[in-house]
């Protein structure tokens, strides 16, 4: 199954805020720019579908989220749970900001897949089932270089390899590095049984690549800026 970092529990700390913007749209053809204030060095502007709800929670280390009607629900007569992306602000060198299979290639200046640690573990594994599991994990793990508006990072998909086949999912983990912080999170991007047509990886990557980290500045009244607000017009 996918290796999920500790951020899974932290995302539960996100609370809806009255500053969140909700658009009542019947389709996702239009988009809006929203600002989500999460924590110093983790405040962002992001482009989301016009019917998205966004939150920002500046307590503790800072968290935020984007929740939108699942795009597959528009053409379906059945209920499909909303699509959710969570964000947590970490120190850049926190263990949650990387994975054994993710490496920054200094020659290419990109984040790439490096499964050498897992491959070494598979070779040395005494249990043939564990060896088989690791090799399948290596095969199904995909790493994407994540180039946002003004920062770079990585995204990685993993697949559930055990459990009820009808309930197995594909999970997207992601981190954008904005020294001295990193904005990370994960999202379930589809059930494996639905194949490519049910995979929201590209949909999520488009949202992540629209992220722009904002310069640090106080609110106009000297207080705390709204946690989430709309910025600019629809497009």
């Amino acid at each position: 199954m996918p290796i999920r970092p500790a951020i899974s529990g932290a995302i539960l700390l996100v609370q809806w805020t009255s500053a969140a913007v909700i658009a009542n749209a019947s389709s996702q053809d239009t988009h809006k720019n929203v600002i989500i204030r999460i924590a110093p060095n983790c405040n962002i502007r992001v482009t989301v579908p016009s019917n998205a709800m966004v939150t920002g929670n500046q307590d503790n280390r800072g968290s935020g989220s984007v929740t939108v009607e699942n795009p597959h629900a528009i053409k379906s007569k059945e209920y499909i749970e909303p699509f959710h992306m969570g964000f947590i602000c970490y120190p850049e060198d926190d263990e949650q900001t990387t994975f054994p299979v993710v490496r920054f290639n200094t020659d290419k200046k990109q984040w790439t897949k490096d499964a050498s640690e897992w491959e070494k573990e598979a070779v040395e594994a005494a249990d043939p089932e564990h060896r088989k599991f690791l090799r399948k994990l290596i095969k199904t793990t995909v790493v994407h270089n994540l180039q946002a508006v003004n920062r770079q990072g990585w995204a990685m998909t993993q697949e559930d390899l055990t459990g009820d086949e009808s309930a197995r999912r594909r999970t997207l983990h992601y981190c954008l590095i904005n020294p001295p912080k990193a904005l990370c999170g994960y999202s379930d991007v589809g059930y494996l049984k639905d194949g490519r047509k049910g995979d929201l990886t590209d949909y999520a990557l488009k949202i992540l690549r629209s992220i722009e980290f904002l310069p640090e500045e106080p609110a106009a009244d000297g207080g705390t800026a709204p946690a989430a607000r709309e910025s600019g017009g629809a497009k």
Side-chain angles (χ1 to χ4, degrees):
M1 62 180 64
I3 302 173
R4 298 175 185 251
I7 55 176
S8 58
I11 288 176
L12 297 177
L13 297 174
V14 174
Q15 298 179 5
W16 298 113
T17 168
S18 59
V21 181
I22 309 173
N24 183 15
S26 59
S27 73
Q28 299 185 30
D29 293 336
T30 58
H31 293 73
K32 62 186 179 184
N33 294 322
V34 295
I35 289 175
I36 308 178
R37 297 196 179 277
I38 297 171
N41 298 109
C42 285
N43 297 318
I44 60 173
R45 178 184 290 111
V46 58
T47 302
V48 295
S50 59
N51 62 357
M53 175 179 286
V54 299
T55 71
N57 179 3
Q58 295 172 311
D59 294 338
N60 299 318
R61 68 177 52 182
S63 60
S65 69
V66 172
T67 303
V68 63
E69 180 184 10
N70 191 303
H72 297 311
I74 297 173
K75 298 180 181 180
S76 175
K77 296 181 179 180
E78 299 179 358
Y79 171 78
I80 302 179
E81 61 192 40
F83 179 64
H84 178 83
M85 300 182 72
F87 300 98
I88 299 288
C89 187
Y90 289 102
E92 179 187 5
D93 58 357
D94 192 281
E95 63 180 7
Q96 300 296 332
T97 67
T98 188
F99 271 79
V101 75
V102 177
R103 292 283 186 274
F104 184 73
N105 186 310
T106 55
D107 294 329
K108 296 181 178 180
K109 306 297 184 184
Q110 292 185 345
W111 293 87
T112 58
K113 177 178 177 179
D114 179 1
S116 57
E117 288 188 25
W118 286 352
E119 289 169 349
K120 182 175 183 293
E121 184 179 348
V123 170
E124 297 174 351
D127 182 355
E129 288 301 314
H130 182 56
R131 189 183 310 123
K132 180 179 179 181
F133 173 84
L134 282 171
R135 285 176 173 161
K136 191 169 184 180
L137 182 62
I138 292 169
K139 182 179 180 180
T140 58
T141 297
V142 179
V143 174
H144 303 265
N145 183 66
L146 194 57
Q147 182 62 60
V149 174
N150 58 352
R151 289 295 182 267
Q152 191 178 13
W154 57 267
M156 174 189 71
T157 56
Q158 289 188 312
E159 299 178 359
D160 287 329
L161 301 179
T162 60
D164 184 350
E165 290 190 3
S166 65
R168 295 182 188 181
R169 298 191 183 208
R170 179 175 292 106
T171 304
L172 179 72
H173 304 264
Y174 39 85
C175 266
L176 282 168
I177 313 301
N178 185 36
K181 298 291 187 177
L183 188 63
C184 305
Y186 82 85
S187 176
D188 290 323
V189 289
Y191 287 96
L192 301 185
K193 64 181 177 63
D194 294 331
R196 184 64 182 171
K197 67 177 182 180
D199 186 0
L200 294 176
T201 299
D202 289 343
Y203 182 85
L205 289 175
K206 184 176 180 180
I207 292 175
L208 292 170
R209 286 171 175 146
S210 76
I211 287 176
E212 177 184 2
F213 284 86
L214 301 176
E216 297 307 308
E217 56 185 25
D221 60 0
T224 302
R229 66 180 177 86
E230 195 161 1
S231 168
K235 66 178 184 177

